Amino acid sequence: MKLSVRTAVPLTALVLAATACAPGTSDNSGAGQDEKSGTLRVWLFQEVNNAPKKKVVDAAVDTFQRAHDGTKVQVEYIPVETRAEKIKAAFNDPKSAPDVIEYGNTDTAGYVKDGGLADVSEEFGDWADAKDTDPTAKESVTVDGKIYGAPYFVGVRALYYRTDVFKDLGVDVPKTQAELAATAQEIHKKRPELYGLAVGGAYTYGAMPFIWANGGELADEKGDSYTSAIDSPAAQKGIKAYTSLFGDTNCPAAKCASMGGNDTVTAFASGKAAMAIGGDFSHQAMEDGKVKGKYAVVPLPGVKAGEIAPAFAGGNNIGVLKSTSHRTLAVDLMKRLAGKDAQRSLFDGMGFLPTYTDVREEVAKSEPFVAPFVKTLGAGAKFVPASPGWAKIDASLVLPTMFQEIVSGRKDVKSASADAAKKMDDAFGTAG
C-alpha cells in the first residue's frame, strides 16, 4: 500500500485488524503449478450469525463449480480470534494450506512480506468489476503498487445518538467536536445515569478520527518505511480532544478507560449512553437492543462546522495464496466471492457495506441507515500505515496503553505520546 497514510481519498472503504506477529516466510511449495481441475480449499471468517454469509458463499461456489467441470470447493469457516495462528501455520506448510483466504485489511502488508499472498495485479486490472472499487478499498490490497487480493467489504464508524434523550433535554445534534464534548457533558449533568458519549480507552478506531480531524497522523512514510507521527503537535491536539471525554463529567475513567469498541456499542444499545461512535456493522446490535426506534446516526463531526471527521477504513479482503497449485481457478473463485453480485447479497444478508462505489450507492438508496456511513466514506476515510509493523503495534496495544495512561493521570499527553512514538518506531524498524 504505497499510497501515503496522509492521503484522504474520496468514497473510501469494517473492522478486523491484525493482532498477532506476522507468520514466518512460506517456501511456497506448489507455486508455479496451475492445475485446471481438482479441489480448492477456502478459509473464511466465522460470523456471529454465519447462516446468511454461508448462503451467499454457497451460491458463489455453486456457480463456480458449474463453470469449471472437475472442480470441487471445500469451505471452512475459521474463528476470527485464532486466525493468526492458523494462517501462520498455512504459510509455513503450503501442502495443507488453502487456496483462497479471507483476511483483515490491515493484515495485507505483513502477509505480503512473509510470502503468503499471490500478486494478482494483472487479473485485477482485467476484471470488469474492479474498475468500480473505491480508492481506499483498493489501497487495502495494494503493497508497493501491486495488488494482493480483492476487497470484500468495508466498515466505517459514525455517531449514534438517542433521539428521545436529545428531544427530552432540548439539546441539538453536535456539529463540531467541541460541541460534541459540551453536549456530552450537558447530558451527563442532567441525566447522570447516562454516559453523555460512551468512549473507551481501548477503542483505538474510535479515537483515530479525533487525531485525524485535528490534522494529526499515525505515521509518516519515509522511503520504504514509516516513522511515528503520534507525538506531533497536531496529533497531540487530537489525543487531548479524545482523552478529555473521559472523566466524571461524561464517562468516568474508572469505568471507561478499559472499554473497547464493543463495550461502547453495548453501552449505547443497552440504554446506558446518549451517544456512541459505532460502525455500520453495529446497526443490528442497536436494533436488537433497548434503543430500537429511539436513535439516529450522523457522521462524526470534525473540528469545524460542516466538516466530517476522517474515519478508519476497516474491512476484509479475499486473497489467493502464493502456494496454490490452482492459480487460475483460485483467482476466478476470489472474483466470484468478492464480486458485485456477492457483495450485494452480503449486504442484504449481513449488512456488510460493498467496496464498489456504484453498488454502495444502490444499497444506500434501499436502506436509509446506510446513508451517514456512505457520506462519511465520501468525505475521505483513512487507513493505517501500510507496514508489517502495524500488526505488532496493534497486538502490543501501543495506542490503547497511551490513552489509558493519559486518562488515568499517570502521564500527560506529551510524555505518553512520546513513549508511544518510540514503541511504534521500534516496530516499524523491526519490520523493515
Side-chain angles (χ1 to χ4, degrees), residues 15-20 80 83 104-107 205 312 315-316 390-391 394:
V15 177
L16 296 170
T19 56
V80 173
R83 69 190 186 281
N105 65 5
T106 57
D107 296 340
Y205 298 116
F312 166 66
N316 287 4
W390 182 257
D394 202 29

Side-chain angles (χ1 to χ4, degrees), residues 351-415:
F352 292 167
L353 277 180
T355 65
Y356 304 104
T357 55
D358 57 337
V359 179
R360 195 156 59 219
E361 289 169 1
E362 290 174 19
V363 302
K365 292 177 181 178
S366 65
E367 292 289 352
F369 85 85
V370 174
F373 302 102
V374 173
K375 189 174 182 180
T376 298
L377 289 167
K382 296 204 174 214
F383 199 57
V384 298
S387 166
W390 182 257
K392 183 176 180 180
I393 292 166
D394 202 29
S396 301
L397 304 178
V398 173
L399 296 184
T401 297
M402 176 187 70
F403 296 131
Q404 290 165 347
E405 288 174 339
I406 295 167
V407 302
S408 68
R410 295 197 301 273
K411 294 181 181 178
D412 59 20
V413 171
K414 184 176 181 179
S415 61

Side-chain angles (χ1 to χ4, degrees), residues 16 22 40-41 82 97 118 158 160 183 197 204 225 256 294 306 374:
L16 296 170
L40 280 77
R41 299 178 62 213
T82 58
Y160 285 78
T183 301
L197 170 67
T204 302
S225 187
C256 302
K294 298 183 290 186
V374 173

Side-chain angles (χ1 to χ4, degrees), residues 41 43 76 86 89-99 321 323:
R41 299 178 62 213
W43 288 355
E76 179 180 351
K86 192 171 180 69
F91 284 4
N92 288 329
D93 184 15
K95 292 182 179 179
S96 63
D99 300 275
L321 264 65
S323 59

Side-chain angles (χ1 to χ4, degrees), residues 222-236:
K222 301 291 185 181
D224 294 331
S225 187
Y226 288 85
T227 57
S228 176
I230 200 67
D231 59 344
S232 71
Q236 289 178 352

Side-chain angles (χ1 to χ4, degrees), residues 290-309:
K290 293 183 179 180
V291 297
K292 180 178 174 64
K294 298 183 290 186
Y295 71 91
V297 186
V298 293
L300 183 69
V303 173
K304 298 178 181 179
E307 292 181 345
I308 294 175

